[in-house]
Amino acid sequence: MGTRKTTKPHLIALAIAGFSVGMMSAPLAEAAIVTQWQVTVDAKFDASSIVWRFGDAGTTVTDHQLRWGDPSPSTGPQSGVDITNSPAVTSVDTNGAAVGNIFLSHLNNPIVAGSPRPERFAIASTLTLTPLVPAGPGLTSVTQTFNVYFEETPNGANPCADGGANGVGVNLNGCGDIFVLDRDALNFMFTYDTGDGIDQQYFISFFELTSGLNPLPQTACDYVFNAQSLPTGSPCLGFVTPEDATTRVQFAAMITTAPVQIPEPGSLALAGLSLSLLGLLRRRWV
């Protein structure tokens, strides 16, 4: 056998701005690609990233749990967010469907107006990629930080902060709360040489999987951006959680050979990507 070329894995964070449908052109270089990867995700809350509104009295912060707010009624539970199924180990096909990994659960319980709650927090996710087909040395683990903007909305507003009517749909028990995901959860670029001397380019992206890939209504985006003192008018990705219920959502990883592009609000078509990403059922756990 001849001498095997040295494998050269690199992982480089790349934030892609702008929204459009489909995928950009694939790299011109011809190289053998890894068709399947082992993806290990170990996610924890980054305690140093939390921005509290109305202080942090009575709050709880651990690697996998946040609790906040004065319960209303006082005998009720606090609101909170939990990370479960972490670390998660999955197999992801290149240019295939997104594969679920960790879960994020929002315990949306009534709390007293003006009591402590987070307005933003970050999830530190340690990512390890190992080629399965063809098998090869794994890449060095890298920790990425994903920012989440959160608004605990006034329950009695009508219309609600997401633009929907109070008492209907997700706002059935009062106005739902809004999570907006950082766009930098998309298109982290890395390269890998399977032994042919060419660094093939890949992108790994992370989605909220349970409800499909959902741009939020512009009303919801602007409500969150305005509350966070951010410029309004830009699209956003996220989800709305019903009051007095626990909503459990799953995140997923997708690996592609070209950057993923996000559809405009109102269009859930993703040209060139597996339809299974959009065919998943909406589910709620209470």
Side-chain angles (χ1 to χ4, degrees):
M1 295 176 61
T3 302
R4 188 177 187 277
K5 290 185 172 66
T6 302
T7 302
K8 299 180 294 182
H10 310 281
L11 187 62
I12 307 169
L14 179 66
I16 302 295
F19 286 70
S20 62
V21 178
M23 297 176 64
M24 297 172 63
S25 298
L28 296 177
E30 294 291 337
I33 70 167
V34 176
T35 59
Q36 188 177 72
W37 301 82
Q38 177 177 287
V39 177
T40 302
V41 178
D42 187 3
K44 301 175 182 178
F45 291 114
D46 179 358
S48 66
S49 72
I50 303 173
V51 177
W52 295 103
R53 190 172 294 170
F54 308 122
D56 61 357
T59 62
T60 299
V61 180
T62 70
D63 284 349
H64 297 122
Q65 183 182 91
L66 302 181
R67 291 292 183 272
W68 65 81
D70 300 327
S72 178
S74 59
T75 55
Q78 288 184 298
S79 283
V81 178
D82 292 340
I83 295 173
T84 55
N85 196 40
S86 179
V89 181
T90 60
S91 297
V92 178
D93 292 337
T94 302
N95 295 325
V99 177
N101 44 64
I102 69 166
F103 288 91
L104 191 71
S105 297
H106 180 212
L107 290 67
N108 193 348
N109 299 313
I111 64 172
V112 175
S115 62
R117 78 281 308 271
E119 62 179 23
R120 68 182 72 177
F121 58 87
I123 297 173
S125 181
T126 300
L127 174 67
T128 307
L129 299 175
T130 305
L132 294 179
V133 182
L139 284 77
T140 301
S141 297
V142 173
T143 300
Q144 305 289 354
T145 300
F146 303 106
N147 295 313
V148 180
Y149 301 110
F150 171 71
E151 286 300 322
E152 185 128 18
T153 65
N155 293 348
N158 196 13
C160 292
D162 67 345
N166 201 324
V168 178
V170 73
N171 301 315
L172 181 63
N173 299 322
C175 294
D177 294 342
I178 305 173
F179 288 80
V180 170
L181 307 183
D182 192 337
R183 268 186 230 167
D184 289 355
L186 301 180
N187 296 314
F188 293 98
M189 190 271 284
F190 64 98
T191 62
Y192 196 89
D193 176 6
T194 59
D196 55 13
I198 300 176
D199 284 340
Q200 171 64 43
Q201 181 174 273
Y202 302 88
F203 298 87
I204 185 166
S205 299
F206 298 91
F207 302 105
E208 188 278 301
L209 186 65
T210 313
S211 301
L213 185 62
N214 277 335
L216 289 177
Q218 193 61 51
T219 301
C221 298
D222 286 346
Y223 181 89
V224 173
F225 292 152
N226 184 64
Q228 303 277 343
S229 300
L230 298 171
T232 58
S234 297
C236 70
L237 292 174
F239 48 93
V240 181
T241 60
E243 284 294 323
D244 204 21
T246 295
T247 299
R248 190 183 189 212
V249 297
Q250 187 176 26
F251 288 86
M254 172 182 283
I255 295 178
T256 58
T257 51
V260 172
Q261 301 296 296
I262 300 305
E264 296 287 350
S267 172
L268 294 182
L270 277 181
L273 295 186
S274 171
L275 292 178
S276 62
L277 176 62
L278 302 177
L280 295 167
L281 296 177
R282 179 170 301 198
R283 294 172 293 171
R284 300 291 183 190
W285 288 260
V286 178

